Structures are given as structure tokens and as C-alpha cells.
């Protein structure tokens, strides 16, 4: 299917998937997220030459939420190397909810199973270099903006405050990590949480998300400029985690039905990519029971089937 055919087909696929918004609910445990329109659905696809194909509600910004964990992982790898990161987090899927603390207590040595669950992402946030939470957040924003092709990304302060005020489970996880010595003696738990909540609250549009995904699709080298932004090895690690853990504890089903690397967030966003071809940004705020956009997942499955995108 060429670009013109894809441009003609995408609006039809979006409208066919829109009915699946009725099978989900907008996240309400973060009050600001509950304001999102439940029946919204949009998608942007970006190709290697920067061509953009879009349909549905793609213009309104939304917060990255857990999608940001992919990029803080990349930055932590740049800052600390593989050994430094994986001394604090594991490399295995959990099969548990993204905010579960069950295995932190049951499994020695008590470090998070992977960087994409909340406990793992909090540990990764502690590894970002910077003298203060503000300095770390500024580095994260600068790095995220670079991966988005130079777009100036910002923190949604309303979502940040809402998230921080209601994050009782995440605070429990962070203090548990402190007790397990995953967070070192010199690390202030509230400082780490501020960094974590801030990067989850970064606003993006579907096009910016697709641009970030395009960089991953080309293993960290920007196909529009030819410049390496992230070392290829680190992007390979991130994409492997996306396949194993990127869609929470529905990752196995997504891998079988859709078959491409992806990462979701509870704002309803999904970043997905077709290696060597496309970066994809999707927004559909209505979520299923496992925290993924109901219509967004259906749309990606439709596209993957029609275009034979599965990588295995």
C-alpha cells in the first residue's frame, strides 16, 4: 500500500475502530485525566522521509504517562550504561499490574522486574543525572524534545499536580524501593517522585509521538537528518522491553495480535513503530481493564493486519 492509499485508508480505519471507545473508560484515578473526551480517537503515521498521514482527533495534546518510561530508560542508559541501569532494575516481564508491588517483596533481591512497570520507572528516574529534581527534569525535557525532532515539549503542570496529589500507591512503591536499597541512602524519595511525575506529565501530540517513534524505528538514528541521537544498542534494549512489557500485562496478547513494538500510557496514548518504516502515535482516552486504549489497540491491530506489519 503506497502513501496515497494509506492516506485514504486511515480515516476509514479510525472510524471503524472508534466504536470500541464504548468498551473502555477514561482514567479517573488521576483527576485531570478524567477530563479527556472518552470517544476521541486519532492516529498519526510518519514515514522515513517525514511524510505525515493523520486521521481523527490528532491535534490536542495529551500527557505521555507511561510512554515516557521508554525515553527515561534511554537517557538512564546514556548516563549510566547497561551495568549501572540493570543493577537497579531487572530484564523480565512480570505478568502483574503495572503498579503492583507483589514481587518486590516475594522475589530476592527485591528490585523491580523491568523498567516499564511503575517501580522500575521510579528506580530509573533516580538514575538520571542532575544535581536537583529541576535539573533532572530539564535534562529529560531537553532529551525528549531532541527525540521529537526538536519540538519544544513541556510539562503539563495541572496533570503533574493532580498525579502527585493522588499517587499513594506510587509513593508506597518508592518507599519500598528505598527500604530495599534500590534507591540509595543519599536519594530523597520525594525528589525522585517529583522527577517521575514530571516526566509522566509531559505533553505531546500524536505527530510528536510519531516523530519519537520514528527515531526508534531507525534504531536511534534520525532518518530525516542522518544523525545518531541514541546509541543503537540502547534502542534495541528499549524495543525489546516494549515487546515484552510495553502494553502492561496485555503485552503478550498485543505481540500476538499486532506484532510490533509499542508502549501505552493511561492517558490513552500509544507509541508504536514499524522497524525501518514508520513511527506511529495514537490517542484514545477510553481504557480497557489492563490500562490500554480499547479503540487504539483495535486500530493498531487493524493496520498491522492490513499492512502486514508484524515483525515475527
Amino acid at each position: 500500500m503506497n502513501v496515497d492509499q494509506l492516506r485514504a485508508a486511515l480515516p476509514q480505519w479510525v472510524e471503524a475502530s472508534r466504536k470500541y471507545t464504548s468498551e473502555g473508560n477514561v482514567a479517573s484515578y488521576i483527576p485531570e485525566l478524567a477530563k479527556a473526551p472518552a470517544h476521541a480517537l486519532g492516529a498519526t503515521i510518519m514515514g522515513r522521509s517525514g511524510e505525515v498521514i493523520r486521521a481523527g482527533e490528532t491535534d490536542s495534546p495529551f500527557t505521555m504517562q507511561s510512554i515516557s518510561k521508554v525515553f527515561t530508560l534511554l537517557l538512564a542508559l546514556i548516563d549510566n550504561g547497561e551495568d549501572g541501569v540493570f543493577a537497579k532494575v531487572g530484564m523480565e516481564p512480570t505478568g502483574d499490574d503495572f503498579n503492583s508491588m507483589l514481587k518486590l517483596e516475594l522475589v530476592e533481591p527485591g528490585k523491580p522486574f523491568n523498567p516499564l512497570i511503575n517501580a522500575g520507572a521510579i528506580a530509573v528516574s533516580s538514575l538520571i543525572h542532575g544535581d536537583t529534581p529541576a535539573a533532572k527534569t530539564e535534562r529529560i525535557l531537553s532529551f525528549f524534545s531532541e527525540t521529537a525532532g526538536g519540538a519544544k515539549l513541556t510539562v503539563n503542570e495541572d496533570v503533574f499536580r493532580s498525579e502527585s496529589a493522588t499517587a499513594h500507591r506510587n509513593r508506597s512503591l518508592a518507599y519500598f524501593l528505598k527500604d530495599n536499597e534500590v534507591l540509595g541512602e543519599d536519594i530523597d524519595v520525594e525528589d525522585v517522585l517529583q522527577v517521575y511525575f514530571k516526566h509522566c506529565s509531559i505533553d505531546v501530540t500524536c505527530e510528536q509521538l510519531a516523530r519519537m517513534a520514528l527515531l526508534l524505528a531507525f534504531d536511534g538514528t534520525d532518518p530525516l537528518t542522518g544523525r545518531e541521537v541514541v546509541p543503537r544498542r540502547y534502542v534495541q534494549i528499549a524495543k525489546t522491553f516494549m515487546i515484552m512489557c510495553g502494553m502492561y500485562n496485555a503485552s503478550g496478547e498485543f505481540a500476538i495480535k499486532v506484532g510490533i513494538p509499542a508502549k501505552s500510557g493511561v492517558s490513552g496514548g500509544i507509541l508504536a513503530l514499524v522497524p525501518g518504516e514508520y513511527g506511529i502515535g495514537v490517542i484514545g482516552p477510553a481504557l480497557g481493564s489492563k490500562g490500554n486504549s480499547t479503540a487504539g489497540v483495535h486500530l493498531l491491530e487493524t493496520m498491522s493486519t492490513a499492512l502486514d506489519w508484524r515483525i515475527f
Side-chain angles (χ1 to χ4, degrees):
M1 185 177 287
N2 62 34
V3 171
D4 290 337
Q5 291 171 320
L6 185 52
R7 186 167 281 115
L10 184 59
Q12 300 173 38
W13 291 335
V14 166
E15 292 312 311
S17 294
R18 190 182 297 277
K19 64 184 178 183
Y20 290 89
T21 61
S22 64
E23 297 184 2
N25 296 288
V26 174
S28 58
Y29 65 93
I30 300 173
E32 278 296 312
L33 297 187
K35 298 177 182 179
H39 296 290
L41 179 64
T44 298
I45 302 170
M46 185 175 291
R48 65 171 67 210
S49 300
E51 63 272 25
V52 174
I53 302 161
R54 62 173 66 87
E57 293 84 359
T58 60
D59 293 335
S60 297
F62 52 92
T63 52
M64 294 183 75
Q65 296 300 322
S66 287
I67 298 170
S68 66
K69 297 172 183 176
V70 174
F71 296 90
T72 49
L73 171 62
L74 291 172
L75 185 55
L77 285 165
I78 291 169
D79 282 352
N80 303 274
E82 292 180 51
D83 290 345
V85 170
F86 294 118
K88 299 295 185 182
V89 296
M91 305 181 190
E92 303 297 336
T94 68
D96 298 324
D97 290 344
F98 60 88
N99 60 357
S100 173
M101 64 173 63
L102 178 67
K103 288 189 171 72
L104 290 177
E105 188 168 13
L106 293 181
V107 179
E108 293 294 335
K111 68 182 184 182
F113 263 48
N114 65 70
L116 301 188
I117 56 174
N118 288 14
I122 291 167
V124 166
S125 296
S126 76
L127 298 174
I128 304 299
H129 289 182
D131 293 334
T132 64
K136 292 184 178 190
T137 298
E138 189 57 41
R139 287 195 66 235
I140 289 169
L141 280 168
S142 177
F143 177 67
F144 281 30
S145 296
E146 187 178 17
T147 65
K152 185 171 177 54
L153 304 184
T154 59
V155 173
N156 184 317
E157 294 292 340
D158 289 338
V159 173
F160 163 70
R161 286 190 292 270
S162 182
E163 195 153 345
S164 181
T166 57
H168 310 306
R169 175 65 67 94
N170 283 328
R171 279 196 167 78
S172 299
L173 288 170
Y175 279 100
F176 205 106
L177 293 174
K178 180 77 169 181
D179 191 61
N180 282 0
E181 299 181 350
V182 174
L183 302 182
E185 290 184 7
D186 59 333
I187 292 176
D188 184 277
V189 171
E190 291 300 323
D191 285 352
V192 173
L193 287 169
Q194 180 179 327
V195 174
Y196 174 69
F197 298 145
K198 289 266 187 179
H199 72 68
C200 287
S201 302
I202 293 173
D203 267 336
V204 289
T205 63
C206 280
E207 184 168 332
Q208 290 165 344
L209 203 60
R211 185 73 166 86
M212 298 172 85
L214 187 68
L215 181 71
L216 303 184
F218 285 84
D219 289 332
T221 295
D222 189 335
L224 277 65
T225 65
R227 187 173 71 87
E228 183 183 83
V229 178
V230 185
R232 181 171 183 265
R233 169 63 179 165
Y234 297 160
V235 176
Q236 289 175 326
I237 291 170
K239 289 194 292 188
T240 302
F241 280 120
M242 289 167 72
I243 287 289
M244 293 193 303
C245 326
M247 302 298 287
Y248 304 127
N249 50 336
S251 296
E253 180 181 357
F254 187 89
I256 290 169
K257 291 186 174 181
V258 184
I260 57 177
K263 182 70 193 85
S264 62
V266 295
S267 61
I270 305 174
L271 176 151
L273 61 99
V274 182
E277 292 191 49
Y278 297 113
I280 305 157
V282 174
I283 181 63
L287 309 179
S289 61
K290 295 179 180 178
N292 301 312
S293 169
T294 51
V297 168
H298 184 269
L299 176 60
L300 286 167
E301 183 178 353
T302 298
M303 290 194 289
S304 181
T305 300
L307 301 169
D308 193 23
W309 279 349
R310 291 178 177 85
I311 63 173
F312 37 69

mmCIF file of all heavy atoms in Angstrom, residues 68-94:
data_model
loop_
_atom_site.group_PDB
_atom_site.id
_atom_site.type_symbol
_atom_site.label_atom_id
_atom_site.label_comp_id
_atom_site.label_asym_id
_atom_site.label_seq_id
_atom_site.Cartn_x
_atom_site.Cartn_y
_atom_site.Cartn_z
ATOM 1 N N SER A 68 6.506 7.701 28.542
ATOM 2 C CA SER A 68 7.753 8.399 28.875
ATOM 3 C C SER A 68 8.815 7.450 29.425
ATOM 4 O O SER A 68 10.016 7.737 29.342
ATOM 5 C CB SER A 68 7.472 9.512 29.891
ATOM 6 O OG SER A 68 7.056 8.984 31.141
ATOM 7 N N LYS A 69 8.393 6.313 29.971
ATOM 8 C CA LYS A 69 9.344 5.382 30.576
ATOM 9 C C LYS A 69 10.346 4.843 29.557
ATOM 10 O O LYS A 69 11.486 4.524 29.917
ATOM 11 C CB LYS A 69 8.586 4.214 31.218
ATOM 12 C CG LYS A 69 7.669 4.611 32.361
ATOM 13 C CD LYS A 69 6.817 3.426 32.799
ATOM 14 C CE LYS A 69 5.825 3.799 33.883
ATOM 15 N NZ LYS A 69 4.941 2.648 34.236
ATOM 16 N N VAL A 70 9.938 4.721 28.306
ATOM 17 C CA VAL A 70 10.862 4.259 27.261
ATOM 18 C C VAL A 70 12.019 5.235 27.118
ATOM 19 O O VAL A 70 13.189 4.836 26.999
ATOM 20 C CB VAL A 70 10.115 4.109 25.922
ATOM 21 C CG1 VAL A 70 11.098 3.777 24.787
ATOM 22 C CG2 VAL A 70 9.037 3.042 26.020
ATOM 23 N N PHE A 71 11.715 6.512 27.171
ATOM 24 C CA PHE A 71 12.725 7.531 26.897
ATOM 25 C C PHE A 71 13.557 7.867 28.125
ATOM 26 O O PHE A 71 14.743 8.196 27.998
ATOM 27 C CB PHE A 71 12.048 8.751 26.275
ATOM 28 C CG PHE A 71 11.450 8.422 24.936
ATOM 29 C CD1 PHE A 71 10.137 7.969 24.840
ATOM 30 C CD2 PHE A 71 12.206 8.490 23.788
ATOM 31 C CE1 PHE A 71 9.591 7.611 23.610
ATOM 32 C CE2 PHE A 71 11.686 8.143 22.554
ATOM 33 C CZ PHE A 71 10.374 7.702 22.466
ATOM 34 N N THR A 72 12.985 7.751 29.324
ATOM 35 C CA THR A 72 13.833 7.902 30.508
ATOM 36 C C THR A 72 14.776 6.702 30.626
ATOM 37 O O THR A 72 15.917 6.856 31.082
ATOM 38 C CB THR A 72 13.006 8.061 31.793
ATOM 39 O OG1 THR A 72 12.007 7.047 31.873
ATOM 40 C CG2 THR A 72 12.358 9.433 31.850
ATOM 41 N N LEU A 73 14.336 5.525 30.211
ATOM 42 C CA LEU A 73 15.237 4.374 30.153
ATOM 43 C C LEU A 73 16.413 4.659 29.230
ATOM 44 O O LEU A 73 17.571 4.404 29.584
ATOM 45 C CB LEU A 73 14.488 3.124 29.690
ATOM 46 C CG LEU A 73 15.359 1.900 29.371
ATOM 47 C CD1 LEU A 73 16.126 1.427 30.612
ATOM 48 C CD2 LEU A 73 14.507 0.774 28.794
ATOM 49 N N LEU A 74 16.131 5.198 28.055
ATOM 50 C CA LEU A 74 17.209 5.515 27.113
ATOM 51 C C LEU A 74 18.177 6.529 27.719
ATOM 52 O O LEU A 74 19.406 6.378 27.601
ATOM 53 C CB LEU A 74 16.623 6.054 25.814
ATOM 54 C CG LEU A 74 15.846 5.060 24.956
ATOM 55 C CD1 LEU A 74 15.153 5.774 23.802
ATOM 56 C CD2 LEU A 74 16.761 3.961 24.423
ATOM 57 N N LEU A 75 17.646 7.552 28.362
ATOM 58 C CA LEU A 75 18.512 8.565 28.960
ATOM 59 C C LEU A 75 19.327 7.978 30.120
ATOM 60 O O LEU A 75 20.515 8.290 30.270
ATOM 61 C CB LEU A 75 17.681 9.761 29.437
ATOM 62 C CG LEU A 75 18.458 10.960 29.993
ATOM 63 C CD1 LEU A 75 19.495 11.463 29.004
ATOM 64 C CD2 LEU A 75 17.497 12.075 30.381
ATOM 65 N N ALA A 76 18.712 7.127 30.921
ATOM 66 C CA ALA A 76 19.445 6.487 32.018
ATOM 67 C C ALA A 76 20.553 5.587 31.481
ATOM 68 O O ALA A 76 21.639 5.507 32.079
ATOM 69 C CB ALA A 76 18.482 5.684 32.889
ATOM 70 N N LEU A 77 20.304 4.910 30.373
ATOM 71 C CA LEU A 77 21.347 4.080 29.752
ATOM 72 C C LEU A 77 22.494 4.955 29.242
ATOM 73 O O LEU A 77 23.664 4.606 29.391
ATOM 74 C CB LEU A 77 20.753 3.258 28.612
ATOM 75 C CG LEU A 77 19.902 2.064 29.030
ATOM 76 C CD1 LEU A 77 19.074 1.542 27.850
ATOM 77 C CD2 LEU A 77 20.772 0.939 29.604
ATOM 78 N N ILE A 78 22.157 6.094 28.656
ATOM 79 C CA ILE A 78 23.196 7.023 28.206
ATOM 80 C C ILE A 78 24.015 7.520 29.400
ATOM 81 O O ILE A 78 25.245 7.631 29.337
ATOM 82 C CB ILE A 78 22.562 8.205 27.441
ATOM 83 C CG1 ILE A 78 21.986 7.720 26.099
ATOM 84 C CG2 ILE A 78 23.566 9.324 27.217
ATOM 85 C CD1 ILE A 78 21.111 8.744 25.397
ATOM 86 N N ASP A 79 23.346 7.800 30.513
ATOM 87 C CA ASP A 79 24.009 8.348 31.694
ATOM 88 C C ASP A 79 24.830 7.314 32.453
ATOM 89 O O ASP A 79 25.866 7.654 33.050
ATOM 90 C CB ASP A 79 22.972 8.943 32.653
ATOM 91 C CG ASP A 79 22.464 10.309 32.217
ATOM 92 O OD1 ASP A 79 23.008 10.882 31.260
ATOM 93 O OD2 ASP A 79 21.506 10.802 32.847
ATOM 94 N N ASN A 80 24.355 6.061 32.482
ATOM 95 C CA ASN A 80 24.929 5.068 33.397
ATOM 96 C C ASN A 80 25.450 3.805 32.734
ATOM 97 O O ASN A 80 26.123 3.009 33.396
ATOM 98 C CB ASN A 80 23.874 4.648 34.436
ATOM 99 C CG ASN A 80 23.320 5.802 35.228
ATOM 100 O OD1 ASN A 80 23.886 6.205 36.226
ATOM 101 N ND2 ASN A 80 22.198 6.349 34.772
ATOM 102 N N GLY A 81 25.111 3.568 31.465
ATOM 103 C CA GLY A 81 25.467 2.314 30.829
ATOM 104 C C GLY A 81 24.565 1.179 31.278
ATOM 105 O O GLY A 81 23.778 1.309 32.220
ATOM 106 N N GLU A 82 24.690 0.040 30.612
ATOM 107 C CA GLU A 82 23.823 -1.100 30.911
ATOM 108 C C GLU A 82 24.027 -1.615 32.328
ATOM 109 O O GLU A 82 23.059 -1.892 33.049
ATOM 110 C CB GLU A 82 24.062 -2.227 29.910
ATOM 111 C CG GLU A 82 23.604 -1.907 28.505
ATOM 112 C CD GLU A 82 23.871 -3.052 27.548
ATOM 113 O OE1 GLU A 82 23.486 -4.202 27.869
ATOM 114 O OE2 GLU A 82 24.482 -2.810 26.491
ATOM 115 N N ASP A 83 25.268 -1.752 32.751
ATOM 116 C CA ASP A 83 25.523 -2.305 34.079
ATOM 117 C C ASP A 83 24.934 -1.422 35.167
ATOM 118 O O ASP A 83 24.361 -1.920 36.140
ATOM 119 C CB ASP A 83 27.032 -2.473 34.298
ATOM 120 C CG ASP A 83 27.634 -3.584 33.451
ATOM 121 O OD1 ASP A 83 26.862 -4.409 32.912
ATOM 122 O OD2 ASP A 83 28.875 -3.623 33.322
ATOM 123 N N GLY A 84 25.043 -0.110 35.004
ATOM 124 C CA GLY A 84 24.517 0.805 36.005
ATOM 125 C C GLY A 84 23.009 0.747 36.117
ATOM 126 O O GLY A 84 22.453 0.808 37.217
ATOM 127 N N VAL A 85 22.328 0.628 34.978
ATOM 128 C CA VAL A 85 20.865 0.565 34.990
ATOM 129 C C VAL A 85 20.376 -0.771 35.528
ATOM 130 O O VAL A 85 19.499 -0.833 36.409
ATOM 131 C CB VAL A 85 20.299 0.833 33.582
ATOM 132 C CG1 VAL A 85 18.796 0.530 33.534
ATOM 133 C CG2 VAL A 85 20.557 2.284 33.165
ATOM 134 N N PHE A 86 20.965 -1.864 35.042
ATOM 135 C CA PHE A 86 20.418 -3.168 35.396
ATOM 136 C C PHE A 86 20.920 -3.680 36.745
ATOM 137 O O PHE A 86 20.522 -4.768 37.179
ATOM 138 C CB PHE A 86 20.662 -4.153 34.260
ATOM 139 C CG PHE A 86 19.892 -3.770 33.020
ATOM 140 C CD1 PHE A 86 20.547 -3.452 31.839
ATOM 141 C CD2 PHE A 86 18.513 -3.662 33.055
ATOM 142 C CE1 PHE A 86 19.836 -3.064 30.717
ATOM 143 C CE2 PHE A 86 17.792 -3.268 31.945
ATOM 144 C CZ PHE A 86 18.456 -2.972 30.769
ATOM 145 N N ALA A 87 21.731 -2.888 37.407
ATOM 146 C CA ALA A 87 21.982 -3.147 38.824
ATOM 147 C C ALA A 87 20.760 -2.774 39.660
ATOM 148 O O ALA A 87 20.583 -3.281 40.777
ATOM 149 C CB ALA A 87 23.199 -2.349 39.296
ATOM 150 N N LYS A 88 19.905 -1.894 39.121
ATOM 151 C CA LYS A 88 18.744 -1.386 39.857
ATOM 152 C C LYS A 88 17.415 -1.955 39.383
ATOM 153 O O LYS A 88 16.437 -1.958 40.137
ATOM 154 C CB LYS A 88 18.697 0.140 39.752
ATOM 155 C CG LYS A 88 19.914 0.843 40.345
ATOM 156 C CD LYS A 88 20.013 0.630 41.848
ATOM 157 C CE LYS A 88 21.162 1.421 42.459
ATOM 158 N NZ LYS A 88 21.276 1.176 43.916
ATOM 159 N N VAL A 89 17.334 -2.406 38.132
ATOM 160 C CA VAL A 89 16.098 -2.985 37.597
ATOM 161 C C VAL A 89 16.435 -4.253 36.825
ATOM 162 O O VAL A 89 17.546 -4.412 36.320
ATOM 163 C CB VAL A 89 15.335 -1.999 36.673
ATOM 164 C CG1 VAL A 89 14.871 -0.781 37.439
ATOM 165 C CG2 VAL A 89 16.186 -1.597 35.477
ATOM 166 N N GLY A 90 15.446 -5.139 36.726
ATOM 167 C CA GLY A 90 15.638 -6.388 36.027
ATOM 168 C C GLY A 90 15.297 -6.308 34.555
ATOM 169 O O GLY A 90 15.053 -5.227 34.005
ATOM 170 N N MET A 91 15.248 -7.469 33.924
ATOM 171 C CA MET A 91 15.025 -7.555 32.480
ATOM 172 C C MET A 91 13.870 -8.486 32.124
ATOM 173 O O MET A 91 13.806 -8.984 31.005
ATOM 174 C CB MET A 91 16.288 -8.061 31.779
ATOM 175 C CG MET A 91 17.538 -7.269 32.045
ATOM 176 S SD MET A 91 18.945 -7.957 31.121
ATOM 177 C CE MET A 91 20.296 -7.022 31.848
ATOM 178 N N GLU A 92 12.966 -8.721 33.062
ATOM 179 C CA GLU A 92 11.921 -9.726 32.848
ATOM 180 C C GLU A 92 10.524 -9.124 32.937
ATOM 181 O O GLU A 92 10.291 -8.194 33.714
ATOM 182 C CB GLU A 92 12.037 -10.831 33.904
ATOM 183 C CG GLU A 92 13.382 -11.525 33.949
ATOM 184 C CD GLU A 92 13.712 -12.275 32.669
ATOM 185 O OE1 GLU A 92 12.772 -12.648 31.938
ATOM 186 O OE2 GLU A 92 14.907 -12.485 32.408
ATOM 187 N N PRO A 93 9.570 -9.650 32.142
ATOM 188 C CA PRO A 93 8.162 -9.259 32.325
ATOM 189 C C PRO A 93 7.642 -9.802 33.644
ATOM 190 O O PRO A 93 8.214 -10.738 34.212
ATOM 191 C CB PRO A 93 7.461 -9.917 31.127
ATOM 192 C CG PRO A 93 8.338 -11.069 30.752
ATOM 193 C CD PRO A 93 9.749 -10.645 31.069
ATOM 194 N N THR A 94 6.552 -9.217 34.137
ATOM 195 C CA THR A 94 6.033 -9.634 35.437
ATOM 196 C C THR A 94 4.722 -10.395 35.352
ATOM 197 O O THR A 94 4.444 -11.257 36.181
ATOM 198 C CB THR A 94 5.797 -8.416 36.348
ATOM 199 O OG1 THR A 94 4.712 -7.648 35.817
ATOM 200 C CG2 THR A 94 7.038 -7.557 36.466
#
